[in-house]
Amino acid sequence: MNHTPPTHSGFGTLAIHAGQPPEATTGAVMTPIFQTSTYVQESPGKHRGYEYSRTDNPTRTAYQSCVAALEGAQHALAFSSGLATTDAILHTLRTGDHVISCDDVYGGTFRIFDKVFKKMGIEFSFVDLADLNQAEKAFRPNTKLLWMETPTNPMLKILDIQTLSSLAKKRGVLTVVDNTFMSSYFQKPLQLGADIVVHSVTKYMNGHSDVVGGVLATNNSQVYTELKFLQNAVGAVPAPMDCFLVMRGLKTLHVRMERHEKNAKEIAHFLEGHPKVERVIYPGLESHPQHALAKKQMSGFGGMITFFLKGDLAAARRFLENVQLFSLAESLGGVESLIEHPAIMTHASIPAETRKILGIHDNLIRVSIGIEEVSDLRADLEQALKEV
Ligand code: P1T
């Protein structure tokens, strides 16, 4: 029996089966956690495809194959965190190279660009890539990478992957899309022309807030070979147990994402109609300035909502201290609902001046809508808003 699903299988079938045939020696249906650092060799250099677990591990191989299938990619590589994935990609650059990044990125992504790689002589421009004019003007002769997060974190701006990728391609620049907020289920950057797609799998891909990890996928074999080399040479690989957990999480990705979205839509509408809320940003709302683009390039709107309270930092604190079911915590994309204050928490490493320009004000709240009963989530927000 051939247990490998054909590549044209539906998303849910690939999520459950891709890269995961029953284990050869025992028939175990679930891919085992190959908790080993090394592999016996018959003769020096003569082995069964595995020699050392930094280089390759069967649990990681299965997980990478599954992600590749979900992204419609030939290759995927897993890392020990989302930022370790970013680090590997930036290691393909040389001193004097230039990177264009969207201006609204996760605080940690900004930090590794601005505080780690800038020091090594890589140049960065942070640009509002939602403005195609600005995007076009940002290219320089030494531009090597175009980095975008879409939707952006935390302002949920939508960047036009297809147009931006083609602008980059014309100039021989590689495009990277951080697909963390949409997951492989709602957005397919490679099909829209991106060269590399990355995820913090810490979020929706794993979905249970019990793993920190990252992954990338590509159809460019040359890029893959270089990044595969770096995965081993730099060595920020995920442990076998984490690979197993993410793979288990992926099996329900399609089901979870549908529920995240259903709940988020309802909460976004509820917040939009609430008198203590100034403005709600959710790509699925008609009021989102790029709702049409979101509808075109995504197959769903996801579970992330950003909103402004009417009030100041004290009001925001009061609200955040009073939620009960939502956990006040960094991160997102887990089955449980999280809430946070970007200016003080996830985006503190962005300079205050820049935060102001981006709109990350003290009354800005970010929520990751989980898959609990939506009536309970709504009731919790309602009672905390009463305290403001
Ligand atoms: O935390 P890590 O797995 O290293 O991933 C970093 C990262 C990369 N890209 C995006 C879009 C992200 O949101 C993150 C991590 N973000 C959070 C921890 C957060 O709360 O926004």
Side-chain angles (χ1 to χ4, degrees), residues 184-381:
S184 308
Y185 185 61
F186 280 144
Q187 184 165 265
K188 294 275 189 288
L190 300 181
Q191 286 174 15
L192 295 169
D195 298 293
I196 305 172
V197 55
V198 303
H199 294 269
S200 165
V201 301
T202 316
K203 314 298 182 315
Y204 290 108
M205 298 289 267
N206 177 55
H208 295 76
S209 302
D210 50 12
V211 170
V212 170
V215 76
L216 64 84
T218 183
N219 278 316
N220 182 325
S221 295
Q222 199 183 331
V223 165
Y224 167 72
T225 304
E226 196 174 353
L227 287 165
K228 168 83 181 130
F229 166 80
L230 286 165
Q231 183 193 40
N232 181 52
V234 178
V237 293
M241 176 76 181
D242 284 354
C243 295
F244 171 85
L245 284 171
V246 181
M247 224 173 352
R248 187 170 72 165
L250 286 173
K251 287 177 193 291
T252 56
L253 180 62
H254 49 304
V255 182
R256 286 185 284 108
M257 291 313 290
E258 294 283 350
R259 180 61 87 89
H260 280 295
E261 188 196 30
K262 188 164 179 277
N263 284 0
K265 271 186 180 157
E266 187 168 335
I267 296 293
H269 283 291
F270 157 70
L271 289 170
E272 200 164 49
H274 199 284
K276 291 194 178 166
V277 173
E278 188 179 287
R279 184 159 78 93
V280 181
I281 309 174
Y282 178 67
L285 289 175
E286 301 265 332
S287 59
H288 191 290
Q290 296 152 300
H291 178 63
L293 174 60
K295 248 187 357 204
K296 191 174 133 207
Q297 77 176 11
M298 292 138 55
S299 57
F301 302 110
M304 297 301 296
I305 304 172
T306 298
F307 64 97
F308 296 89
L309 277 177
K310 280 186 188 155
D312 53 8
L313 179 61
R317 274 196 190 279
R318 204 158 161 73
F319 172 64
L320 291 168
E321 285 163 5
N322 276 284
V323 289
Q324 284 163 12
L325 185 53
F326 280 79
S327 298
L328 175 59
E330 301 201 6
S331 203
L332 58 112
V335 290
E336 72 296 321
S337 294
L338 300 181
I339 194 160
E340 67 115 7
H341 190 268
I344 295 178
M345 296 166 70
T346 50
H347 291 71
S349 33
I350 311 245
E353 260 313 284
T354 314
R355 283 203 307 265
K356 211 164 138 191
I357 295 166
L358 293 173
I360 307 174
H361 302 308
D362 284 347
N363 61 339
L364 183 74
I365 309 285
R366 190 189 77 182
V367 283
S368 169
I369 301 296
I371 62 171
E372 301 95 334
E373 278 307 317
V374 70
S375 53
D376 295 328
L377 296 176
R378 190 184 156 134
D380 189 34
L381 294 174

